[in-house]
Amino acid sequence: MELRNLITFIHVAELGSFTKAAEQLGYSQSTISFQIKQLEEELDCLLFERINHTITLTQKGHELVSYAHRIRELTDEFKENMEEEKECSGHIHIVTPDSVCDNIITNSYIDFHNKYPEISIKFTTADTSVMFDMLDHNEADLIITLDSHSYHKDYIIAKEQPLSMHFVANADSKFAKAKKLSILDIINEPFILTEYGQGYRRVFDRELAKKSLDITPILEIGRTDMITTLVSNSDMLSFLPDFVTKDLIEAGKLCYLNVQDMNIEIWKQLIYHKNKWMSKALKTFIDYVIEKEF
């Protein structure tokens, strides 16, 4: 049994398409079809049902998926153990929200690179639902979410922690010294928020909806650094994780608003798929994040 045929099978099964698998692997579609046919003949069973240009895994195909992943993982592990490189090397693809990406690059990337110069990292930003879809299709090695707490049997949570969130305003805001505020006190103020339907913004909107309220922001943008800059220089408000606003709070440019009737639980989670092969580079990065302030 040829390993490349098994790898092709994994891609077709995950992407649900011969065409997409061909694009990802750099093969022609006819090559993909031939490799799957070879595998089916060798195993003497049908792996995909082909109906009206759509493909669906058969029962035997579903059974082969887990075996194929295990064979690929063992092969990769063997190859890595045979390498004589002293330096830990490899490539990692991490998908995060914009704010987490900015925070990691600003606070940790240089230190990580200095310790492990042979490990290259690709950061992509996306919404939570897209992140999990990328994990399911092996398009990402790790994801870091800022959302309600997630758990699923197919995913491993390597690290997690609840996040403090606050409404924030300019330090000179008329609300700055208020000891007790209700969401109704600020609901009609100009707000800048992250994009609708994404991460903690979705959780925030859901909590507002429970009170039959909503906020129509005057600006929606994923860049939390821009949000904090604009809020600190205007009468606008926002709702952000504390790790985003901490420096400007300490510098006296922003203040937290004491809104007492919005109980929102947000979690930061480092997650990978249970079937993901744990390369030395990936394990090194996960261990680094676990040891550092998350």
Side-chain angles (χ1 to χ4, degrees):
M1 185 182 300
E2 291 196 34
L3 180 62
R4 65 178 179 179
N5 290 353
L6 277 177
I7 292 174
T8 295
F9 167 75
I10 289 171
H11 280 77
V12 175
E14 289 177 344
L15 297 172
S17 167
F18 281 43
T19 302
K20 290 180 180 178
E23 291 173 357
Q24 194 168 93
L25 292 169
Y27 295 153
S28 66
Q29 188 169 337
S30 61
T31 299
I32 297 292
S33 298
F34 177 74
Q35 290 177 341
I36 296 300
K37 185 178 179 181
Q38 271 192 324
L39 194 56
E40 289 178 326
E41 289 177 351
E42 188 171 6
L43 296 174
D44 193 26
C45 67
L46 190 67
L47 299 174
F48 295 99
E49 289 184 313
R50 302 158 174 85
I51 302 174
N52 293 331
H53 303 291
T54 63
I55 61 168
T56 307
L57 280 168
T58 63
Q59 181 60 41
K60 290 297 183 182
H62 279 291
E63 292 175 11
L64 181 60
V65 169
S66 60
Y67 286 107
H69 275 294
R70 286 162 59 187
I71 291 169
R72 184 175 67 173
E73 289 166 6
L74 288 170
T75 303
D76 289 341
E77 183 179 346
F78 176 75
K79 287 180 179 178
E80 188 169 270
N81 288 336
M82 289 294 291
E83 291 177 357
E84 296 180 355
E85 296 177 337
K86 294 181 180 180
E87 295 285 348
C88 181
S89 64
H91 180 74
I92 307 169
H93 184 194
I94 305 164
V95 188
T96 75
D98 285 284
S99 54
V100 173
C101 180
D102 292 345
N103 186 257
I104 290 176
I105 291 175
T106 301
N107 297 325
S108 302
Y109 176 71
I110 292 177
D111 178 62
F112 180 83
H113 173 70
N114 288 338
K115 290 180 178 177
Y116 308 103
E118 298 301 317
I119 297 178
S120 63
I121 300 176
K122 174 184 177 181
F123 281 102
T124 302
T125 59
D127 179 42
T128 307
S129 60
V130 176
M131 292 185 198
F132 282 109
D133 186 62
M134 293 177 75
L135 277 189
D136 289 339
H137 291 90
N138 200 30
E139 296 172 359
D141 298 313
L142 286 169
I143 63 171
I144 301 177
T145 63
L146 292 182
D147 211 314
S148 53
H149 192 273
S150 295
Y151 173 76
H152 191 280
K153 62 182 178 61
D154 288 340
Y155 308 121
I156 304 297
I157 301 171
K159 188 172 184 179
E160 64 180 7
Q161 69 179 47
L163 287 183
S164 296
M165 305 278 298
H166 280 92
F167 290 92
V168 293
N170 183 295
D172 297 322
S173 167
K174 61 185 177 181
F175 300 108
K177 295 181 181 180
K179 293 183 179 179
K180 292 184 179 180
L181 287 170
S182 165
I183 184 62
L184 293 175
D185 295 324
I186 62 172
I187 192 74
N188 294 317
E189 296 297 317
F191 267 85
I192 308 177
L193 297 173
T194 51
E195 295 101 327
Y196 177 78
Q198 296 195 10
Y200 55 81
R201 168 70 191 280
R202 177 176 57 247
V203 182
F204 175 54
D205 286 339
R206 189 164 61 231
E207 291 302 310
L208 285 173
K210 290 179 182 178
K211 299 177 180 293
S212 299
L213 298 172
D214 63 63
I215 289 176
T216 301
I218 59 171
L219 177 64
E220 293 177 285
I221 186 170
R223 290 281 301 277
T224 53
D225 57 333
M226 291 185 178
I227 294 176
T228 53
T229 298
L230 289 169
V231 171
S232 66
N233 290 288
S234 70
D235 63 348
M236 295 180 280
L237 309 181
S238 192
F239 181 72
L240 295 167
D242 289 0
F243 75 85
V244 169
T245 57
K246 179 182 176 183
D247 290 344
L248 288 174
I249 292 290
E250 292 177 351
K253 295 183 178 181
L254 290 178
C255 67
Y256 294 143
L257 303 185
N258 191 19
V259 179
Q260 299 191 327
D261 54 352
M262 288 291 288
N263 299 313
I264 299 176
E265 186 177 71
I266 302 295
W267 285 76
K268 190 176 186 181
Q269 294 181 288
L270 177 68
I271 301 172
Y272 61 93
H273 199 282
K274 69 176 185 180
N275 292 328
K276 184 67 184 177
W277 172 60
M278 193 60 57
S279 67
K280 288 182 180 178
L282 184 55
K283 185 177 186 305
T284 296
F285 182 83
I286 291 173
D287 289 345
Y288 179 88
V289 174
I290 289 174
E291 291 174 6
K292 288 282 184 178
E293 183 179 348
F294 188 36

